Amino acid sequence: MVVSELDPDWGDGTRCVHAGESAPSRGAPLTPGPVFAAPYHLGPEPAADSSPDPATGADFYGRAGNPTWRVLESAIGDLDGGECVLFPSGMAAISALLRDAAARGGLVIPSDGYYATRSFAAAELSSRGVSVREVATTGPWTEEVFRGAALVLLETPSNPGLEVCDIAELSASAHAAGAMVAVDNTTASPLGQRPLELGADIVVASDAKALTGHSDLVLGHISTRDAGLAQRLRDARTLSGAIAGPFESWLAHRSLSTLDLRLARQAENAAALATALLDHPSVRNLRWPGLASDPAHALARRQMRRFGGVLRFELADAAAFDRFVAASRLVVEATSFGGVHSTVDRRARWGDQVPPGFVRFSAGCEDPADLVADVLAALAA
Ligand code: PLP
């Protein structure tokens, strides 16, 4: 399948609508459906003196290649500005990346980022002798942190604290120490931040969040400009068998076309909520990188293209959170974030080191006035 090139001068909306599309051809569907295939028809066996490379040749088996993956990989890769390798979840992508790097040296991972990354590193890597250092998103990023590291994984904005670190500066320090830098870009999405343009080597993300945004699928990806790394990851995916389903891949591509619209509304809602809640008597420690008074705002403004729809704040305790959820008509309690529905998650229930009343609020695509009115009413109840 031939995929058209995107014009680098196009805006986000145009790029999202056209990312991954096929060159027009008479009679072909405007949007091709998913390809479901385990085996594909084989051609004649390659001559003995040629070097058959299934990755560059025709598809032969569904674990090694699928045209629907390639459409989505082309679309996401275009938005990230690199070569995308699709995985069945964010954790499948992160674990493939950390395993690859652990073969070459130590790892630096966020102490305050998504908890499963730390759990994976502890269960599968440090327990087998790999050096894993945990560093908070805001540092301290001393020289010692980078020593002996093969990979530094940043998460910015971090989940759930929404702390921000300087991708360009930390990439320069890591490169000077011989380490590669990966950025977990789940919270920002490729429209919110382009880590590869800021000097990072790798983007990794859960695509169950804003990128696809309808709370109906789990996928993940890695994007990089390092062709060797992309090929190693593809080979590892084929051998480990951790592959995405064609239907989810198709659904994700379909959802991606509205990313610009969804993110714009989510950010509008996050801004409206942040303004309404900042000085609310029941709310403490509200953070949203788009807020001019947020400690991370200056840095976020420098490196982010948009601030997204996720904010966090604290209510008095778990009971106050439960009362809020029970009283709201629009906000539901659910983990994950970035969907069209507004959701809240009390992160202490998952073991994050945050106060019991700490709320991660994912602003959806409801009308801003309805959402703010509902949240204020629920807080007053
Ligand atoms: N990275 C971040 C920042 C996340 O929030 C998540 C999931 O919530 C993941 C990675 C893992 O992604 P997945 O749930 O798709 O495996």
Side-chain angles (χ1 to χ4, degrees), residues 312-351:
R312 56 92 150 173
F313 53 84
E314 288 164 34
L315 298 179
D317 50 25
F321 173 82
D322 290 342
R323 282 197 301 277
F324 169 76
V325 172
S328 170
R329 295 170 64 204
L330 293 180
V331 182
V332 292
E333 184 179 5
T335 196
S336 197
F337 54 88
V340 294
H341 300 83
S342 286
T343 59
V344 279
D345 195 10
R346 195 178 68 79
R347 292 304 302 176
R349 75 180 275 166
W350 306 108

CSV table of all heavy atoms in Angstrom, one decimal, residues 312-351:
chain,number,residue,atom,x,y,z
A,312,ARG,N,-4.4,18.2,37.6
A,312,ARG,CA,-4.4,17.4,38.8
A,312,ARG,C,-4.6,18.4,40.0
A,312,ARG,O,-4.2,19.5,39.9
A,312,ARG,CB,-3.2,16.5,39.0
A,312,ARG,CG,-1.9,17.2,39.0
A,312,ARG,CD,-1.4,17.6,40.3
A,312,ARG,NE,0.0,17.6,40.5
A,312,ARG,CZ,0.7,18.1,41.5
A,312,ARG,NH1,0.0,18.6,42.5
A,312,ARG,NH2,2.0,18.0,41.6
A,313,PHE,N,-5.3,17.9,41.0
A,313,PHE,CA,-5.5,18.7,42.2
A,313,PHE,C,-5.7,17.8,43.4
A,313,PHE,O,-5.9,16.6,43.3
A,313,PHE,CB,-6.6,19.8,42.0
A,313,PHE,CG,-7.9,19.2,41.6
A,313,PHE,CD1,-8.8,18.6,42.5
A,313,PHE,CD2,-8.2,19.2,40.2
A,313,PHE,CE1,-10.0,18.1,42.0
A,313,PHE,CE2,-9.4,18.7,39.8
A,313,PHE,CZ,-10.3,18.1,40.7
A,314,GLU,N,-5.9,18.4,44.6
A,314,GLU,CA,-6.1,17.6,45.8
A,314,GLU,C,-7.4,18.0,46.4
A,314,GLU,O,-7.7,19.2,46.6
A,314,GLU,CB,-5.0,17.7,46.8
A,314,GLU,CG,-3.7,17.0,46.4
A,314,GLU,CD,-2.5,17.5,47.2
A,314,GLU,OE1,-2.7,17.8,48.4
A,314,GLU,OE2,-1.4,17.6,46.6
A,315,LEU,N,-8.2,17.0,46.8
A,315,LEU,CA,-9.4,17.3,47.6
A,315,LEU,C,-9.0,16.8,49.1
A,315,LEU,O,-7.9,16.3,49.2
A,315,LEU,CB,-10.6,16.4,47.1
A,315,LEU,CG,-11.1,16.8,45.7
A,315,LEU,CD1,-12.3,15.9,45.3
A,315,LEU,CD2,-11.5,18.3,45.6
A,316,ALA,N,-9.9,17.0,50.0
A,316,ALA,CA,-9.5,16.8,51.4
A,316,ALA,C,-9.0,15.4,51.7
A,316,ALA,O,-8.0,15.2,52.3
A,316,ALA,CB,-10.6,17.2,52.4
A,317,ASP,N,-9.7,14.4,51.1
A,317,ASP,CA,-9.4,13.0,51.4
A,317,ASP,C,-10.2,12.1,50.5
A,317,ASP,O,-10.9,12.6,49.6
A,317,ASP,CB,-9.7,12.7,52.9
A,317,ASP,CG,-11.1,13.1,53.3
A,317,ASP,OD1,-12.0,13.2,52.4
A,317,ASP,OD2,-11.3,13.3,54.5
A,318,ALA,N,-10.1,10.8,50.7
A,318,ALA,CA,-10.7,9.8,49.8
A,318,ALA,C,-12.3,10.0,49.9
A,318,ALA,O,-13.0,9.9,48.8
A,318,ALA,CB,-10.3,8.4,50.1
A,319,ALA,N,-12.8,10.3,51.1
A,319,ALA,CA,-14.2,10.5,51.2
A,319,ALA,C,-14.7,11.7,50.4
A,319,ALA,O,-15.8,11.6,49.8
A,319,ALA,CB,-14.6,10.6,52.7
A,320,ALA,N,-14.0,12.8,50.4
A,320,ALA,CA,-14.4,13.9,49.7
A,320,ALA,C,-14.4,13.6,48.2
A,320,ALA,O,-15.2,14.1,47.4
A,320,ALA,CB,-13.4,15.1,49.9
A,321,PHE,N,-13.4,12.8,47.7
A,321,PHE,CA,-13.4,12.4,46.3
A,321,PHE,C,-14.6,11.6,46.0
A,321,PHE,O,-15.3,11.8,45.0
A,321,PHE,CB,-12.1,11.6,46.1
A,321,PHE,CG,-12.0,10.9,44.7
A,321,PHE,CD1,-11.6,11.7,43.6
A,321,PHE,CD2,-12.4,9.6,44.5
A,321,PHE,CE1,-11.6,11.1,42.3
A,321,PHE,CE2,-12.4,9.1,43.2
A,321,PHE,CZ,-11.9,9.8,42.2
A,322,ASP,N,-15.0,10.6,46.9
A,322,ASP,CA,-16.1,9.8,46.6
A,322,ASP,C,-17.4,10.6,46.6
A,322,ASP,O,-18.3,10.4,45.7
A,322,ASP,CB,-16.3,8.7,47.7
A,322,ASP,CG,-15.2,7.7,47.6
A,322,ASP,OD1,-14.5,7.6,46.6
A,322,ASP,OD2,-15.0,7.0,48.6
A,323,ARG,N,-17.5,11.6,47.4
A,323,ARG,CA,-18.7,12.5,47.4
A,323,ARG,C,-18.7,13.3,46.1
A,323,ARG,O,-19.8,13.4,45.5
A,323,ARG,CB,-18.6,13.5,48.6
A,323,ARG,CG,-19.0,12.9,49.9
A,323,ARG,CD,-19.4,14.0,51.0
A,323,ARG,NE,-18.2,14.9,51.2
A,323,ARG,CZ,-17.2,14.6,52.1
A,323,ARG,NH1,-17.2,13.5,52.8
A,323,ARG,NH2,-16.3,15.5,52.2
A,324,PHE,N,-17.6,13.7,45.6
A,324,PHE,CA,-17.5,14.5,44.4
A,324,PHE,C,-18.0,13.6,43.2
A,324,PHE,O,-18.8,14.0,42.4
A,324,PHE,CB,-16.1,15.0,44.1
A,324,PHE,CG,-15.9,15.5,42.8
A,324,PHE,CD1,-16.3,16.8,42.4
A,324,PHE,CD2,-15.2,14.8,41.8
A,324,PHE,CE1,-16.2,17.3,41.2
A,324,PHE,CE2,-15.1,15.3,40.5
A,324,PHE,CZ,-15.5,16.6,40.2
A,325,VAL,N,-17.5,12.4,43.2
A,325,VAL,CA,-17.9,11.5,42.0
A,325,VAL,C,-19.4,11.2,42.1
A,325,VAL,O,-20.0,11.2,41.1
A,325,VAL,CB,-17.0,10.2,42.1
A,325,VAL,CG1,-17.5,9.2,41.1
A,325,VAL,CG2,-15.6,10.5,41.8
A,326,ALA,N,-19.9,11.0,43.3
A,326,ALA,CA,-21.3,10.6,43.4
A,326,ALA,C,-22.2,11.8,43.0
A,326,ALA,O,-23.3,11.6,42.4
A,326,ALA,CB,-21.6,10.2,44.9
A,327,ALA,N,-21.7,13.0,43.2
A,327,ALA,CA,-22.6,14.2,43.0
A,327,ALA,C,-22.5,14.6,41.5
A,327,ALA,O,-23.3,15.3,41.0
A,327,ALA,CB,-22.2,15.3,43.9
A,328,SER,N,-21.4,14.3,40.8
A,328,SER,CA,-21.2,14.8,39.4
A,328,SER,C,-22.1,14.0,38.5
A,328,SER,O,-22.2,12.8,38.6
A,328,SER,CB,-19.7,14.6,39.0
A,328,SER,OG,-19.6,14.9,37.6
A,329,ARG,N,-22.6,14.7,37.5
A,329,ARG,CA,-23.4,14.1,36.5
A,329,ARG,C,-22.6,13.8,35.2
A,329,ARG,O,-23.0,13.1,34.3
A,329,ARG,CB,-24.7,14.9,36.1
A,329,ARG,CG,-25.6,15.0,37.3
A,329,ARG,CD,-26.7,16.0,37.0
A,329,ARG,NE,-27.6,15.6,35.9
A,329,ARG,CZ,-28.3,16.5,35.2
A,329,ARG,NH1,-28.2,17.8,35.4
A,329,ARG,NH2,-29.0,16.1,34.2
A,330,LEU,N,-21.5,14.5,35.1
A,330,LEU,CA,-20.7,14.4,33.8
A,330,LEU,C,-19.4,13.7,34.0
A,330,LEU,O,-18.8,13.3,33.0
A,330,LEU,CB,-20.5,15.8,33.3
A,330,LEU,CG,-21.7,16.6,32.7
A,330,LEU,CD1,-21.3,18.0,32.2
A,330,LEU,CD2,-22.4,15.8,31.6
A,331,VAL,N,-18.9,13.7,35.2
A,331,VAL,CA,-17.5,13.2,35.4
A,331,VAL,C,-17.6,11.8,36.0
A,331,VAL,O,-18.2,11.6,37.1
A,331,VAL,CB,-16.7,14.1,36.3
A,331,VAL,CG1,-15.3,13.6,36.5
A,331,VAL,CG2,-16.7,15.6,35.8
A,332,VAL,N,-17.0,10.8,35.4
A,332,VAL,CA,-17.0,9.5,35.9
A,332,VAL,C,-15.6,9.1,36.4
A,332,VAL,O,-14.6,9.6,36.0
A,332,VAL,CB,-17.5,8.4,34.8
A,332,VAL,CG1,-18.9,8.6,34.5
A,332,VAL,CG2,-16.6,8.5,33.6
A,333,GLU,N,-15.6,8.1,37.4
A,333,GLU,CA,-14.4,7.7,37.9
A,333,GLU,C,-13.9,6.5,37.0
A,333,GLU,O,-14.5,5.5,36.8
A,333,GLU,CB,-14.6,7.1,39.4
A,333,GLU,CG,-13.3,6.7,40.0
A,333,GLU,CD,-13.5,6.2,41.4
A,333,GLU,OE1,-14.6,6.1,41.9
A,333,GLU,OE2,-12.4,5.9,42.1
A,334,ALA,N,-12.7,6.7,36.5
A,334,ALA,CA,-12.1,5.7,35.6
A,334,ALA,C,-10.6,6.0,35.6
A,334,ALA,O,-10.2,7.1,35.6
A,334,ALA,CB,-12.7,5.7,34.2
A,335,THR,N,-9.8,4.9,35.4
A,335,THR,CA,-8.4,5.2,35.2
A,335,THR,C,-8.1,5.4,33.7
A,335,THR,O,-9.1,5.5,32.9
A,335,THR,CB,-7.5,4.0,35.8
A,335,THR,OG1,-6.2,4.4,35.9
A,335,THR,CG2,-7.6,2.8,34.9
A,336,SER,N,-6.9,5.7,33.4
A,336,SER,CA,-6.6,6.1,32.0
A,336,SER,C,-7.0,7.6,31.8
A,336,SER,O,-7.6,8.2,32.8
A,336,SER,CB,-7.2,5.2,30.9
A,336,SER,OG,-6.5,5.4,29.7
A,337,PHE,N,-6.7,8.2,30.7
A,337,PHE,CA,-7.0,9.6,30.5
A,337,PHE,C,-7.0,9.9,29.0
A,337,PHE,O,-6.6,9.1,28.2
A,337,PHE,CB,-6.1,10.5,31.3
A,337,PHE,CG,-4.6,10.2,31.0
A,337,PHE,CD1,-4.0,10.9,30.0
A,337,PHE,CD2,-3.9,9.3,31.8
A,337,PHE,CE1,-2.6,10.7,29.8
A,337,PHE,CE2,-2.6,9.1,31.6
A,337,PHE,CZ,-1.9,9.7,30.6
A,338,GLY,N,-7.4,11.1,28.6
A,338,GLY,CA,-7.3,11.5,27.2
A,338,GLY,C,-8.5,11.2,26.4
A,338,GLY,O,-8.5,11.4,25.2
A,339,GLY,N,-9.6,10.7,27.0
A,339,GLY,CA,-10.8,10.3,26.2
A,339,GLY,C,-11.7,11.4,26.0
A,339,GLY,O,-11.6,12.5,26.6
A,340,VAL,N,-12.8,11.2,25.2
A,340,VAL,CA,-13.8,12.3,25.0
A,340,VAL,C,-14.7,12.5,26.2
A,340,VAL,O,-15.3,13.5,26.4
A,340,VAL,CB,-14.7,12.0,23.8
A,340,VAL,CG1,-13.8,12.0,22.5
A,340,VAL,CG2,-15.4,10.6,23.9
A,341,HIS,N,-14.7,11.5,27.1
A,341,HIS,CA,-15.5,11.7,28.4
A,341,HIS,C,-14.6,12.2,29.5
A,341,HIS,O,-13.4,11.8,29.6
A,341,HIS,CB,-16.0,10.3,28.9
A,341,HIS,CG,-16.9,9.6,27.9
A,341,HIS,ND1,-16.5,8.9,26.9
A,341,HIS,CD2,-18.3,9.6,27.9
A,341,HIS,CE1,-17.5,8.4,26.2
A,341,HIS,NE2,-18.6,8.8,26.8
A,342,SER,N,-15.0,13.1,30.3
A,342,SER,CA,-14.3,13.6,31.4
A,342,SER,C,-14.2,12.5,32.5
A,342,SER,O,-15.3,11.9,32.8
A,342,SER,CB,-14.9,14.9,32.0
A,342,SER,OG,-14.6,16.0,31.2
A,343,THR,N,-13.0,12.2,33.0
A,343,THR,CA,-12.9,11.2,34.0
A,343,THR,C,-12.0,11.7,35.1
A,343,THR,O,-11.1,12.6,34.9
A,343,THR,CB,-12.2,9.9,33.4
A,343,THR,OG1,-10.9,10.3,32.9
A,343,THR,CG2,-13.1,9.3,32.3
A,344,VAL,N,-12.1,11.1,36.3
A,344,VAL,CA,-11.2,11.3,37.4
A,344,VAL,C,-10.7,10.0,38.0
A,344,VAL,O,-11.4,9.0,37.9
A,344,VAL,CB,-11.9,12.1,38.6
A,344,VAL,CG1,-12.0,13.6,38.3
A,344,VAL,CG2,-13.3,11.5,38.9
A,345,ASP,N,-9.5,10.1,38.5
A,345,ASP,CA,-8.8,8.9,39.0
A,345,ASP,C,-8.1,9.3,40.3
A,345,ASP,O,-7.3,10.3,40.3
A,345,ASP,CB,-7.8,8.4,38.0
A,345,ASP,CG,-7.3,7.0,38.3
A,345,ASP,OD1,-7.9,6.3,39.2
A,345,ASP,OD2,-6.4,6.5,37.7
A,346,ARG,N,-8.5,8.7,41.4
A,346,ARG,CA,-7.8,9.0,42.7
A,346,ARG,C,-6.5,8.1,42.8
A,346,ARG,O,-6.6,6.9,43.0
A,346,ARG,CB,-8.7,8.7,43.9
A,346,ARG,CG,-8.3,9.3,45.2
A,346,ARG,CD,-9.3,9.0,46.3
A,346,ARG,NE,-9.3,7.5,46.6
A,346,ARG,CZ,-8.4,6.9,47.4
A,346,ARG,NH1,-7.4,7.6,47.9
A,346,ARG,NH2,-8.5,5.6,47.6
A,347,ARG,N,-5.4,8.7,42.5
A,347,ARG,CA,-4.2,8.0,42.2
A,347,ARG,C,-3.6,7.2,43.4
A,347,ARG,O,-2.9,6.2,43.2
A,347,ARG,CB,-3.1,8.9,41.6
A,347,ARG,CG,-3.4,9.4,40.2
A,347,ARG,CD,-3.7,8.3,39.2
A,347,ARG,NE,-2.6,7.4,39.1
A,347,ARG,CZ,-2.7,6.3,38.3
A,347,ARG,NH1,-3.8,6.0,37.6
A,347,ARG,NH2,-1.6,5.5,38.2
A,348,ALA,N,-4.0,7.6,44.6
A,348,ALA,CA,-3.4,6.8,45.7
A,348,ALA,C,-4.0,5.4,45.7
A,348,ALA,O,-3.3,4.5,46.3
A,348,ALA,CB,-3.8,7.5,47.0
A,349,ARG,N,-5.1,5.2,45.1
A,349,ARG,CA,-5.7,3.8,45.1
A,349,ARG,C,-4.8,2.8,44.3
A,349,ARG,O,-4.8,1.6,44.5
A,349,ARG,CB,-7.1,3.8,44.6
A,349,ARG,CG,-7.2,3.9,43.1
A,349,ARG,CD,-8.7,3.8,42.6
A,349,ARG,NE,-9.2,2.5,42.4
A,349,ARG,CZ,-10.5,2.2,42.3
A,349,ARG,NH1,-11.4,3.1,42.3
A,349,ARG,NH2,-10.8,1.0,42.1
A,350,TRP,N,-3.9,3.4,43.4
A,350,TRP,CA,-3.0,2.5,42.7
A,350,TRP,C,-1.6,2.4,43.3
A,350,TRP,O,-0.7,1.9,42.7
A,350,TRP,CB,-2.9,3.0,41.2
A,350,TRP,CG,-4.3,3.2,40.6
A,350,TRP,CD1,-4.9,4.4,40.3
A,350,TRP,CD2,-5.2,2.2,40.1
A,350,TRP,NE1,-6.1,4.2,39.7
A,350,TRP,CE2,-6.3,2.8,39.6
A,350,TRP,CE3,-5.1,0.8,40.2
A,350,TRP,CZ2,-7.4,2.1,39.1
A,350,TRP,CZ3,-6.2,0.1,39.7
A,350,TRP,CH2,-7.3,0.7,39.1
A,351,GLY,N,-1.5,3.1,44.4
A,351,GLY,CA,-0.2,3.0,45.1
A,351,GLY,C,0.8,4.2,44.7
A,351,GLY,O,1.9,4.2,45.2
